[in-house]
Amino acid sequence: MKQIALVVQRYGKEVLGGAETLAAEFAKVLKSEYDITVVTTTAKDYISWENYYEEGESFENDVKVVRFEPDFERTQYFHELNRIFLNGINTENFYRYSDAEKMLWRKNTNSIPISFQEELIKWQGPYSSKLYNYLTLNEDKFDFIIFFTYLYPTTYFGVDCINDKKKIIVFPTLHDEAHAYLPIWKKYRNCKLFFLTPEEKKLAQSLWGNLNGYVVKYGIEDKGYKYLNLNSNNEDLKEKYLIYAGRIDPAKGINDLIENFAKYKKEYPNSKIKLKLIGKLAMDLKSDKKHGIEIIGFVSEEEKYKLMSEALALVLPSPYESLSIVVLESFMVGVPVIVNGACDVLTGHVNRSKAGFTYRNYNDFKNAINKLLNDTDLNIKMKEEGRKYFLDNYEWTKYKENLLKILNEFE
């Protein structure tokens, strides 16, 4: 059986994160066809990179996992480097920058010495000399070495450990953020690149130039049929609410979401619609039942799908996404979406699926809610379109077939 190494910054059932989930799902998809080894660090927390798991080998869900300690935890030194690099750039609002402002930022990053860029990435963490040594010594064992996420040292320095560049595949999980404009990432052009959406590939081409890339999409096991109620409309809902699912964090646009929802409730004081937020709480935010805001926190997968399926819509205010699994899950259970139109990836999902709305301001946000509340036929149509989009593009068996086809072509 051929062997594949998956290199990712964190891994484990306690780990929450888009790229980490992608790596876990990739292992799940391929373990019946390939001998999979996950190469990662002992960290669980992406802020500190402190040790959590034991160093060494283990087996998790029938997948071999090899963990190595980072050389250091994140320190104030990184924050100082990052402050110098950003030079006043507001990362949370970078999506609001005009094309001209982004072009100027790109010009500025091109003048930053390579040594400074690499120092910034190294101290961002997790940086593990033991992990790099393992890759160097064990390259010959693997037919492919697949790296997840462009941003972290495990990928940036890891690809340099592999002599046979034909073995390397990188999942950039790239989105339009300030750090993506560093010119050092252009070295990934020499690798095979797997993209999750056409928009991600387009962004990579705009930043890195010509590249060898494939849009492989993503796969989710279809559990939506358990929760479907496609013929229902908003009048059938026990209670009307929007649902947010994911990390409850300012970086995910939560402050803007709360502000827009508060404006809506102020304009429509008799509306009984609520906003429910599920996921890990990473900011100072409390429930406000008087204004219909309910912080539920972390829930099981089953409860997540149940809450999604009974919502008027999933709302996703994040401006930075390379895929958005929760949008696909919402389509899976037959629920429309209201997403941040500043994110090209989310806009692409809405345009292709015809199962939701994008918004760039409060009026867009308000109009999306009102259309779903007041147009029964549209509501039902969007439920059907979202479910169809999921089945045609992101259902697990189709994803597996596509991945195996591409990997077989590489051999």
Side-chain angles (χ1 to χ4, degrees):
M1 185 178 282
K2 293 184 179 296
Q3 297 196 57
I4 291 180
L6 308 181
V7 184
V8 65
Q9 61 272 13
R10 303 180 296 158
Y11 189 89
K13 64 181 181 179
E14 300 89 354
V15 170
L16 301 174
E20 294 86 351
T21 299
L22 174 63
E25 286 298 312
F26 202 87
K28 176 182 173 183
V29 168
L30 294 182
K31 68 181 182 181
S32 63
E33 308 292 334
Y34 292 89
D35 188 359
I36 303 293
T37 300
V38 175
V39 183
T40 187
T41 71
T42 56
K44 184 185 79 166
D45 183 80
Y46 72 98
I47 300 296
S48 68
W49 305 116
E50 65 181 339
N51 291 320
Y52 177 84
Y53 298 101
E54 286 189 17
E55 191 173 51
E57 293 185 8
S58 61
F59 280 85
E60 301 170 22
N61 295 322
D62 300 320
V63 173
K64 181 180 177 181
V65 181
V66 186
R67 290 188 174 89
F68 300 95
E69 292 182 352
D71 289 12
F72 43 79
E73 295 180 11
R74 185 177 288 178
T75 66
Q76 187 58 38
Y77 178 57
F78 162 72
H79 295 293
E80 182 62 15
L81 291 172
N82 203 39
R83 184 193 64 78
I84 295 169
F85 162 65
L86 292 172
N87 192 29
I89 290 286
N90 185 327
T91 55
E92 287 185 20
N93 289 325
F94 188 75
Y95 71 97
R96 300 183 190 275
Y97 285 38
S98 67
D99 289 343
E101 288 172 319
K102 288 181 178 179
M103 285 295 294
L104 179 59
W105 174 242
R106 185 175 185 175
K107 180 180 178 181
N108 291 341
T109 60
N110 284 333
S111 66
I112 299 173
I114 295 295
S115 58
F116 181 91
Q117 296 180 57
E118 292 190 334
E119 185 81 346
L120 175 69
I121 300 311
K122 176 179 179 178
W123 285 90
Q124 174 188 220
Y127 184 92
S128 173
S129 300
K130 292 179 182 178
L131 185 150
Y132 306 135
N133 188 52
Y134 174 88
L135 291 175
T136 300
L137 295 177
N138 291 276
E139 172 187 345
D140 292 342
K141 292 182 181 179
F142 299 109
D143 297 279
F144 298 108
I145 301 97
I146 303 177
F147 295 85
F148 292 84
T149 301
Y150 81 98
L151 186 62
Y152 292 110
T154 42
T155 297
Y156 180 79
F157 296 106
V159 296
D160 293 338
C161 300
I162 311 304
N163 288 319
D164 187 353
K165 303 304 180 187
K166 295 190 298 294
K167 291 185 175 185
I168 299 174
I169 298 171
V170 176
F171 267 102
T173 64
L174 180 68
H175 45 262
D176 192 4
E177 59 186 343
H179 291 77
Y181 286 71
L182 286 170
I184 55 172
W185 311 125
K186 289 181 181 179
K187 76 176 183 181
Y188 295 143
R189 291 182 302 187
N190 301 319
C191 309
K192 298 182 185 72
L193 298 168
F194 278 3
F195 297 105
L196 299 170
T197 63
E199 292 78 18
E200 184 194 1
K201 181 179 180 181
K202 183 179 178 181
L203 175 62
Q205 289 172 324
S206 72
L207 293 175
W208 303 343
N210 293 329
L211 46 80
N212 184 14
Y214 305 79
V215 178
V216 298
K217 298 184 180 178
Y218 185 72
I220 301 175
E221 183 180 352
D222 181 19
K223 298 178 182 178
Y225 65 88
K226 300 178 183 178
Y227 306 91
L228 285 176
N229 197 2
L230 296 179
N231 294 320
S232 69
N233 58 56
N234 50 65
E235 297 301 324
D236 299 322
L237 298 174
K238 296 177 183 177
E239 61 175 339
K240 296 181 178 64
Y241 62 87
L242 304 175
I243 190 162
Y244 168 85
R247 194 170 75 247
I248 303 170
D249 188 319
K252 291 293 186 178
I254 296 300
N255 288 329
D256 282 347
L257 173 59
I258 297 296
E259 181 181 343
N260 281 324
F261 189 75
K263 285 182 181 179
Y264 185 88
K265 295 292 281 187
K266 184 176 181 180
E267 184 172 349
Y268 299 93
N270 295 324
S271 173
K272 294 182 179 179
I273 193 168
K274 297 179 179 179
L275 172 63
K276 298 187 178 186
L277 298 93
I278 59 176
K280 183 180 179 181
L281 185 62
M283 61 188 291
D284 184 17
L285 186 64
K286 295 181 174 62
S287 294
D288 181 358
K289 293 190 177 181
K290 179 180 177 181
H291 295 98
I293 299 172
E294 185 177 348
I295 311 299
I296 297 175
F298 186 80
V299 297
S300 67
E301 182 183 83
E302 181 179 352
E303 183 64 14
K304 176 176 71 171
Y305 291 154
K306 183 175 185 296
L307 285 165
M308 277 185 176
S309 68
E310 296 174 355
L312 178 70
L314 172 89
V315 59
L316 190 64
S318 171
Y320 307 120
E321 297 291 332
S322 58
L323 174 66
S324 184
I325 294 171
V326 293
V327 163
L328 304 181
E329 290 175 327
S330 187
F331 290 152
M332 179 182 73
V333 299
V335 170
V337 299
I338 302 172
V339 302
N340 190 334
C343 177
D344 289 342
V345 167
L346 298 179
T347 299
H349 282 315
V350 167
N351 290 343
R352 287 189 293 273
S353 69
K354 300 179 177 62
F357 300 90
T358 63
Y359 70 93
R360 285 182 171 269
N361 51 50
Y362 168 67
N363 283 332
D364 293 343
F365 182 82
K366 172 185 71 175
N367 291 336
I369 296 172
N370 288 341
K371 284 180 181 179
L372 287 173
L373 284 172
N374 299 320
D375 191 333
T376 297
D377 291 339
L378 177 65
N379 189 292
I380 292 176
K381 181 67 173 175
M382 284 190 168
K383 288 174 178 284
E384 294 170 347
E385 294 286 2
R387 175 70 177 165
K388 183 178 184 299
Y389 179 72
F390 165 75
L391 291 175
D392 289 348
N393 295 279
Y394 294 98
E395 190 271 327
W396 193 82
T397 56
K398 290 185 175 67
Y399 175 59
K400 181 177 181 179
E401 289 171 5
N402 187 44
L403 274 181
L404 292 176
K405 179 183 176 182
I406 292 172
L407 290 173
N408 287 335
E409 290 174 355
F410 289 166
E411 292 177 3

